[in-house]
Amino acid sequence: AASDVYKRQLLTCYAIPMTQINLKSHTISALGGALSLMEDFKKNLLKMGKTNRTVPAILLIAAVFFLLFGIFMIPHKDQPFDPTSGGYASLNIVYVMGPFAEQTSDGRTVKKYYVAENDKGYWSIISTENSCPFLVYNETISDADLKTLVPQTAVGQSKKIPKKLAAYIVDYFNNNGFELSLSDYEQYLGDHYLDTTVPLMGSSLVLFIFSAVFFILSVIVLISFRKNGNHIQTRIQELMQNGEFEPLCQDFQSADAAFYDGLGLAVSPHYLLDFSNLQYGFSVYPLDQFYNVFKCNMVNGNPTTSNYIALEHKNGQRILVAACPNVSKDFNAALDMLKQSVNGGMQW
């Protein structure tokens, strides 16, 4: 009998720790669930710092587009200059005559126009920078030098000769003993000139610059998102230290709670979170502080093009949130939810 008592006591002693372990398991499970809810709530808050998530995406897409278009526009091979068609081209120049015209900007010469003779003895019209890189007849060379000259390759863009430039061409040739007119000069010189001031990758460089600008703007927006996230994280830490974060988190577990990232607003049955000033993270407003909610499109008594949700505080102050140019579905949903949550007072 004594032996039986001993066995029963032994079994009882082992049963107690087993019950305690189960209790601990339930406690840990409950704690883990609470922590998981808080982490999810933090993630939702941090997402509010990225209210314009489509902006960096659009900027990056634009950057890639201009980059690819710029690569596509790079001329893979310049063609021999044809005075009857456009495009990037090259011309083997022996010497030039002129200049017969100059282009100025703000009182300074930015471009000069010459008649160029190529290695086949044909004349063409070209333009250069103010300082001509080619041998100029009667300036740097004479008739005695012509047979010893080595052609220089000029690369540029073939452009249509404008009417005013055509008039200068005709005058230049007529003044030097060649009879040309506006009706027949194209038969001898064509209707295009080679602009050597345009870089071979001129169009592509412009597109690359656009690509770089859009990329930099997207980086700036992404950096601002990161800063916004840091500000929100700081605000979360402040609320946790003050013991205000847990009840806030619990209230946002309600099925009626909603995050309106397009409005910079989050609403639960008892709280309003305003993310309009992300420099300070977000503002927390207990809804029992207000007595009236309505749509407003006036600020300080002056009409505006934006619509706001106005909340009138019991101390007489008014706050404006959810600024937007057009009333959206989310705007109306947030307004209705706030009207249902705020008690007392007339609701417009």
Side-chain angles (χ1 to χ4, degrees), residues 32-52:
L35 290 174
S36 176
L37 291 175
M38 292 183 71
E39 289 302 317
D40 290 342
F41 183 50
K42 287 181 184 178
K43 289 179 182 178
N44 288 329
L45 293 175
L46 291 171
K47 285 180 183 178
M48 297 296 289
K50 305 174 183 179
T51 52
N52 294 317

Side-chain angles (χ1 to χ4, degrees), residues 8-28:
R8 286 196 295 272
Q9 290 175 343
L10 185 64
L11 289 171
T12 304
C13 290
Y14 277 98
I16 293 173
M18 288 178 66
T19 305
Q20 289 177 338
I21 290 173
N22 288 335
L23 288 174
K24 288 181 180 179
S25 176
H26 288 302
T27 303
I28 292 171

Side-chain angles (χ1 to χ4, degrees), residues 240-258:
M240 293 181 71
Q241 290 174 3
N242 296 334
E244 300 175 17
F245 188 74
E246 187 174 351
L248 195 65
C249 175
Q250 291 176 353
D251 203 55
F252 269 87
Q253 303 313 309
S254 168
D256 295 328

Side-chain angles (χ1 to χ4, degrees), residues 17 29 42 52 72 80 106 111 120 126 135 146 167 174 185 187 191 195 210 213 242 246 254 281 290:
S29 176
K42 287 181 184 178
N52 294 317
F72 175 77
D106 297 329
K111 190 181 291 188
K120 296 180 180 179
I126 70 166
L135 297 173
L146 295 180
N174 289 337
Y185 80 94
Q187 299 176 18
D191 59 353
D195 187 353
F210 275 114
V213 169
N242 296 334
E246 187 174 351
S254 168
F290 302 100

Side-chain angles (χ1 to χ4, degrees), residues 36 51 72 74 89 93 101 106-107 112 116 144 147 161 168-169 196 209 229 260 268 276 284 319 326 335 344 346:
S36 176
T51 52
F72 175 77
I74 295 175
I93 297 174
D106 297 329
K112 291 183 178 180
K147 294 181 179 180
I161 295 176
Y168 290 141
I169 294 171
T196 65
I209 291 172
Y260 303 99
S268 69
S276 60
V284 180
I319 68 166
N326 299 309
L335 179 61
M346 177 180 176

Side-chain angles (χ1 to χ4, degrees), residues 164-193:
K164 189 172 184 179
L165 183 61
Y168 290 141
I169 294 171
V170 171
D171 288 343
Y172 177 75
F173 276 92
N174 289 337
N175 292 336
N176 285 277
F178 299 91
E179 293 186 3
L180 286 181
S181 67
L182 290 174
S183 61
D184 65 4
Y185 80 94
E186 295 180 7
Q187 299 176 18
Y188 303 96
L189 300 169
D191 59 353
H192 283 70
Y193 73 97

Side-chain angles (χ1 to χ4, degrees), residues 196-210:
T196 65
T197 66
V198 178
L200 187 61
M201 293 174 56
S203 300
S204 294
L205 287 174
V206 173
L207 294 171
F208 290 154
I209 291 172
F210 275 114

